[in-house]
Amino acid sequence: MPKKPKYIVLLGPPASGKGTQATRLREELDLPHVASGDLFREHLKNESELGAKAKEYIDRGALVPDDITIAMVMDRLSRPDCEKGAILDGFPRTIAQAEALDAALVEQGHKISVTPSIVVPDEVLVERVGGRRVCRMCGKTYHVRFNLPQEPDVCDRDGGELYQRDDDKPETVRERLKVYWKQTSPLIEYYRGQGVLVEVNGDQPIDAVTEELRTVLAG
Ligand code: AP5
Ligand code: MG
């Protein structure tokens, strides 16, 4: 019998480590990593119409409107590799997005398996963002102190150039944190109410967070 699909929603503020952890876990879980921020950055790179629209919001640290975001992520989730489930990172980010995801899953007879919420104090997040570097080709994430590439400014995976995201400027980061607390943090109670929320301590070394997540995901 085919395995029941597993939908994991990684919650957490900007720079809490959602992308870092999803990249580490996707192979062992054999699930695709669906990151709304990465999908938007892909559109920006390809200079699509959607990318141009999203840029207006991303550059000032605001959320892209729900209708655009929901349509983009649902399209991604409808592809064949998501039949076994997905690790969702950065989506949902509003109650309306969470409700749209629930409705789409229910329609297919599925539901969210677990929602790990990665908890990190705001002051640690600001420091992490400043040192983040991302591969221009594959999007793999590094940090100038906590997660170094083997060769400076070069991606270990494909040799791509590492760059700093435009929205990682200090003033944009402060706005993203404000937006997180106002618009996204209500999802913590939303998923607690569904009995799927588990808090994970994200303020520890990357390996230790992965280990804690493994335990949560095995449960
Ligand atoms: P998005 O790309 O999703 O950004 P985000 O949620 O702000 O999250 P980040 O990617 O900044 O952080 P992360 O948690 O993935 O951390 P990472 O692993 O990189 O969204 C960007 C924008 O797109 C949004 O602002 C919005 O405009 C738009 N958007 C996206 N989704 C949307 C939605 N659903 N609705 C509307 N708009 C949407 O780690 C950060 C750094 O820390 C790295 O350098 C890493 O190496 C390092 N690090 C990670 N873990 C640790 C650790 N344990 N110790 C030390 N360093 C660590
Ligand atoms: Mg990310």
PDB file of all heavy atoms in Angstrom, residues 13-20 33 35-38 41 89-90 93 132 139 141 165 176, ligand 2:
ATOM      1  N   PRO A  13      10.067  32.590  12.792  1.00  0.00           N
ATOM      2  CA  PRO A  13      10.352  33.938  12.284  1.00  0.00           C
ATOM      3  C   PRO A  13      11.470  33.939  11.246  1.00  0.00           C
ATOM      4  O   PRO A  13      12.153  32.915  11.061  1.00  0.00           O
ATOM      5  CB  PRO A  13      10.767  34.707  13.544  1.00  0.00           C
ATOM      6  CG  PRO A  13      11.143  33.679  14.537  1.00  0.00           C
ATOM      7  CD  PRO A  13      10.387  32.440  14.207  1.00  0.00           C
ATOM      8  N   PRO A  14      11.690  35.084  10.564  1.00  0.00           N
ATOM      9  CA  PRO A  14      12.785  35.189   9.611  1.00  0.00           C
ATOM     10  C   PRO A  14      14.102  34.771  10.257  1.00  0.00           C
ATOM     11  O   PRO A  14      14.387  35.179  11.387  1.00  0.00           O
ATOM     12  CB  PRO A  14      12.840  36.693   9.265  1.00  0.00           C
ATOM     13  CG  PRO A  14      11.544  37.254   9.696  1.00  0.00           C
ATOM     14  CD  PRO A  14      10.938  36.340  10.708  1.00  0.00           C
ATOM     15  N   ALA A  15      14.866  33.961   9.555  1.00  0.00           N
ATOM     16  CA  ALA A  15      16.204  33.520   9.989  1.00  0.00           C
ATOM     17  C   ALA A  15      16.187  32.552  11.174  1.00  0.00           C
ATOM     18  O   ALA A  15      17.214  32.300  11.785  1.00  0.00           O
ATOM     19  CB  ALA A  15      17.115  34.705  10.296  1.00  0.00           C
ATOM     20  N   SER A  16      15.034  31.962  11.464  1.00  0.00           N
ATOM     21  CA  SER A  16      14.997  30.996  12.569  1.00  0.00           C
ATOM     22  C   SER A  16      15.622  29.664  12.161  1.00  0.00           C
ATOM     23  O   SER A  16      15.885  28.820  13.003  1.00  0.00           O
ATOM     24  CB  SER A  16      13.552  30.786  13.034  1.00  0.00           C
ATOM     25  OG  SER A  16      12.738  30.411  11.945  1.00  0.00           O
ATOM     26  N   GLY A  17      15.843  29.479  10.838  1.00  0.00           N
ATOM     27  CA  GLY A  17      16.496  28.248  10.381  1.00  0.00           C
ATOM     28  C   GLY A  17      15.571  27.319   9.616  1.00  0.00           C
ATOM     29  O   GLY A  17      15.909  26.156   9.390  1.00  0.00           O
ATOM     30  N   LYS A  18      14.432  27.812   9.163  1.00  0.00           N
ATOM     31  CA  LYS A  18      13.470  26.954   8.452  1.00  0.00           C
ATOM     32  C   LYS A  18      14.124  26.339   7.207  1.00  0.00           C
ATOM     33  O   LYS A  18      14.072  25.128   6.996  1.00  0.00           O
ATOM     34  CB  LYS A  18      12.224  27.761   8.035  1.00  0.00           C
ATOM     35  CG  LYS A  18      11.503  28.432   9.194  1.00  0.00           C
ATOM     36  CD  LYS A  18      10.268  29.192   8.738  1.00  0.00           C
ATOM     37  CE  LYS A  18      10.525  30.384   7.826  1.00  0.00           C
ATOM     38  NZ  LYS A  18      11.275  31.506   8.435  1.00  0.00           N
ATOM     39  N   GLY A  19      14.718  27.205   6.381  1.00  0.00           N
ATOM     40  CA  GLY A  19      15.334  26.734   5.134  1.00  0.00           C
ATOM     41  C   GLY A  19      16.509  25.805   5.404  1.00  0.00           C
ATOM     42  O   GLY A  19      16.653  24.758   4.761  1.00  0.00           O
ATOM     43  N   THR A  20      17.343  26.178   6.368  1.00  0.00           N
ATOM     44  CA  THR A  20      18.516  25.361   6.709  1.00  0.00           C
ATOM     45  C   THR A  20      18.075  23.962   7.124  1.00  0.00           C
ATOM     46  O   THR A  20      18.616  22.953   6.667  1.00  0.00           O
ATOM     47  CB  THR A  20      19.286  26.033   7.879  1.00  0.00           C
ATOM     48  OG1 THR A  20      19.688  27.330   7.455  1.00  0.00           O
ATOM     49  CG2 THR A  20      20.486  25.224   8.318  1.00  0.00           C
ATOM     50  N   HIS A  33      10.932  20.006  -0.668  1.00  0.00           N
ATOM     51  CA  HIS A  33      10.984  21.201   0.176  1.00  0.00           C
ATOM     52  C   HIS A  33      10.274  22.313  -0.585  1.00  0.00           C
ATOM     53  O   HIS A  33      10.762  22.746  -1.632  1.00  0.00           O
ATOM     54  CB  HIS A  33      12.470  21.524   0.421  1.00  0.00           C
ATOM     55  CG  HIS A  33      12.724  22.830   1.106  1.00  0.00           C
ATOM     56  ND1 HIS A  33      13.942  23.466   1.053  1.00  0.00           N
ATOM     57  CD2 HIS A  33      11.932  23.610   1.878  1.00  0.00           C
ATOM     58  CE1 HIS A  33      13.894  24.578   1.745  1.00  0.00           C
ATOM     59  NE2 HIS A  33      12.686  24.696   2.263  1.00  0.00           N
ATOM     60  N   ALA A  35       9.280  25.996  -0.433  1.00  0.00           N
ATOM     61  CA  ALA A  35       9.528  27.241   0.305  1.00  0.00           C
ATOM     62  C   ALA A  35       8.987  28.413  -0.507  1.00  0.00           C
ATOM     63  O   ALA A  35       9.468  28.675  -1.619  1.00  0.00           O
ATOM     64  CB  ALA A  35      11.026  27.414   0.546  1.00  0.00           C
ATOM     65  N   SER A  36       7.982  29.103   0.046  1.00  0.00           N
ATOM     66  CA  SER A  36       7.356  30.189  -0.724  1.00  0.00           C
ATOM     67  C   SER A  36       8.376  31.275  -1.068  1.00  0.00           C
ATOM     68  O   SER A  36       8.373  31.806  -2.178  1.00  0.00           O
ATOM     69  CB  SER A  36       6.162  30.765   0.040  1.00  0.00           C
ATOM     70  OG  SER A  36       6.465  30.910   1.407  1.00  0.00           O
ATOM     71  N   GLY A  37       9.284  31.601  -0.133  1.00  0.00           N
ATOM     72  CA  GLY A  37      10.302  32.633  -0.408  1.00  0.00           C
ATOM     73  C   GLY A  37      11.180  32.218  -1.585  1.00  0.00           C
ATOM     74  O   GLY A  37      11.494  33.027  -2.461  1.00  0.00           O
ATOM     75  N   ASP A  38      11.566  30.932  -1.624  1.00  0.00           N
ATOM     76  CA  ASP A  38      12.404  30.441  -2.731  1.00  0.00           C
ATOM     77  C   ASP A  38      11.626  30.506  -4.053  1.00  0.00           C
ATOM     78  O   ASP A  38      12.193  30.826  -5.097  1.00  0.00           O
ATOM     79  CB  ASP A  38      12.846  28.991  -2.485  1.00  0.00           C
ATOM     80  CG  ASP A  38      13.838  28.866  -1.339  1.00  0.00           C
ATOM     81  OD1 ASP A  38      14.338  29.919  -0.865  1.00  0.00           O
ATOM     82  OD2 ASP A  38      14.113  27.726  -0.907  1.00  0.00           O
ATOM     83  N   ARG A  41      11.719  34.007  -5.165  1.00  0.00           N
ATOM     84  CA  ARG A  41      13.054  34.383  -5.665  1.00  0.00           C
ATOM     85  C   ARG A  41      13.321  33.767  -7.041  1.00  0.00           C
ATOM     86  O   ARG A  41      13.987  34.378  -7.870  1.00  0.00           O
ATOM     87  CB  ARG A  41      14.136  33.997  -4.645  1.00  0.00           C
ATOM     88  CG  ARG A  41      14.203  34.986  -3.468  1.00  0.00           C
ATOM     89  CD  ARG A  41      15.339  34.680  -2.504  1.00  0.00           C
ATOM     90  NE  ARG A  41      15.051  33.537  -1.660  1.00  0.00           N
ATOM     91  CZ  ARG A  41      14.302  33.564  -0.560  1.00  0.00           C
ATOM     92  NH1 ARG A  41      13.782  34.708  -0.140  1.00  0.00           N
ATOM     93  NH2 ARG A  41      14.086  32.479   0.144  1.00  0.00           N
ATOM     94  N   ASP A  89       7.804  25.518   3.968  1.00  0.00           N
ATOM     95  CA  ASP A  89       8.677  26.464   4.678  1.00  0.00           C
ATOM     96  C   ASP A  89       8.284  27.876   4.248  1.00  0.00           C
ATOM     97  O   ASP A  89       8.388  28.215   3.073  1.00  0.00           O
ATOM     98  CB  ASP A  89      10.131  26.083   4.304  1.00  0.00           C
ATOM     99  CG  ASP A  89      11.143  27.221   4.392  1.00  0.00           C
ATOM    100  OD1 ASP A  89      10.821  28.293   4.919  1.00  0.00           O
ATOM    101  OD2 ASP A  89      12.277  27.009   3.921  1.00  0.00           O
ATOM    102  N   GLY A  90       7.785  28.666   5.197  1.00  0.00           N
ATOM    103  CA  GLY A  90       7.400  30.054   4.870  1.00  0.00           C
ATOM    104  C   GLY A  90       5.969  30.176   4.377  1.00  0.00           C
ATOM    105  O   GLY A  90       5.499  31.265   4.083  1.00  0.00           O
ATOM    106  N   ARG A  93       1.560  31.790   6.076  1.00  0.00           N
ATOM    107  CA  ARG A  93       2.091  32.887   6.875  1.00  0.00           C
ATOM    108  C   ARG A  93       0.977  33.798   7.364  1.00  0.00           C
ATOM    109  O   ARG A  93       1.250  34.802   8.029  1.00  0.00           O
ATOM    110  CB  ARG A  93       3.001  33.699   5.980  1.00  0.00           C
ATOM    111  CG  ARG A  93       4.433  33.834   6.467  1.00  0.00           C
ATOM    112  CD  ARG A  93       5.097  34.641   5.404  1.00  0.00           C
ATOM    113  NE  ARG A  93       6.412  35.076   5.636  1.00  0.00           N
ATOM    114  CZ  ARG A  93       7.508  34.421   5.265  1.00  0.00           C
ATOM    115  NH1 ARG A  93       7.444  33.208   4.779  1.00  0.00           N
ATOM    116  NH2 ARG A  93       8.669  34.985   5.423  1.00  0.00           N
ATOM    117  N   ARG A 132      24.024  35.941   6.785  1.00  0.00           N
ATOM    118  CA  ARG A 132      23.529  34.915   5.852  1.00  0.00           C
ATOM    119  C   ARG A 132      24.063  35.169   4.440  1.00  0.00           C
ATOM    120  O   ARG A 132      24.105  36.295   3.960  1.00  0.00           O
ATOM    121  CB  ARG A 132      22.002  34.923   5.809  1.00  0.00           C
ATOM    122  CG  ARG A 132      21.512  34.036   4.674  1.00  0.00           C
ATOM    123  CD  ARG A 132      20.074  33.666   4.724  1.00  0.00           C
ATOM    124  NE  ARG A 132      19.182  34.775   4.974  1.00  0.00           N
ATOM    125  CZ  ARG A 132      17.928  34.616   5.336  1.00  0.00           C
ATOM    126  NH1 ARG A 132      17.442  33.416   5.523  1.00  0.00           N
ATOM    127  NH2 ARG A 132      17.166  35.664   5.546  1.00  0.00           N
ATOM    128  N   GLY A 139      20.264  28.312  -4.273  1.00  0.00           N
ATOM    129  CA  GLY A 139      19.557  28.839  -3.112  1.00  0.00           C
ATOM    130  C   GLY A 139      20.028  28.270  -1.778  1.00  0.00           C
ATOM    131  O   GLY A 139      19.499  28.620  -0.720  1.00  0.00           O
ATOM    132  N   THR A 141      21.786  27.846   1.664  1.00  0.00           N
ATOM    133  CA  THR A 141      22.069  28.943   2.589  1.00  0.00           C
ATOM    134  C   THR A 141      23.290  28.660   3.456  1.00  0.00           C
ATOM    135  O   THR A 141      23.461  27.544   3.947  1.00  0.00           O
ATOM    136  CB  THR A 141      20.832  29.141   3.490  1.00  0.00           C
ATOM    137  OG1 THR A 141      19.745  29.497   2.652  1.00  0.00           O
ATOM    138  CG2 THR A 141      21.039  30.230   4.499  1.00  0.00           C
ATOM    139  N   ARG A 165      21.011  38.442   0.423  1.00  0.00           N
ATOM    140  CA  ARG A 165      19.670  38.775  -0.060  1.00  0.00           C
ATOM    141  C   ARG A 165      19.384  40.261   0.149  1.00  0.00           C
ATOM    142  O   ARG A 165      19.736  40.829   1.176  1.00  0.00           O
ATOM    143  CB  ARG A 165      18.627  37.951   0.719  1.00  0.00           C
ATOM    144  CG  ARG A 165      18.311  36.635   0.072  1.00  0.00           C
ATOM    145  CD  ARG A 165      17.517  35.697   0.953  1.00  0.00           C
ATOM    146  NE  ARG A 165      16.347  36.263   1.598  1.00  0.00           N
ATOM    147  CZ  ARG A 165      15.505  35.549   2.366  1.00  0.00           C
ATOM    148  NH1 ARG A 165      15.717  34.249   2.549  1.00  0.00           N
ATOM    149  NH2 ARG A 165      14.476  36.109   2.937  1.00  0.00           N
ATOM    150  N   ARG A 176      10.393  42.842   8.718  1.00  0.00           N
ATOM    151  CA  ARG A 176       9.956  41.451   8.559  1.00  0.00           C
ATOM    152  C   ARG A 176       9.616  40.828   9.914  1.00  0.00           C
ATOM    153  O   ARG A 176       8.686  40.038  10.031  1.00  0.00           O
ATOM    154  CB  ARG A 176      11.047  40.630   7.848  1.00  0.00           C
ATOM    155  CG  ARG A 176      11.058  40.882   6.348  1.00  0.00           C
ATOM    156  CD  ARG A 176      12.341  40.434   5.687  1.00  0.00           C
ATOM    157  NE  ARG A 176      12.663  39.050   5.906  1.00  0.00           N
ATOM    158  CZ  ARG A 176      13.888  38.532   5.789  1.00  0.00           C
ATOM    159  NH1 ARG A 176      14.896  39.312   5.443  1.00  0.00           N
ATOM    160  NH2 ARG A 176      14.101  37.268   6.014  1.00  0.00           N
TER     161      ARG A 176
HETATM  162 MG    MG B   2      14.278  30.649   4.236  1.00  0.00          MG
END
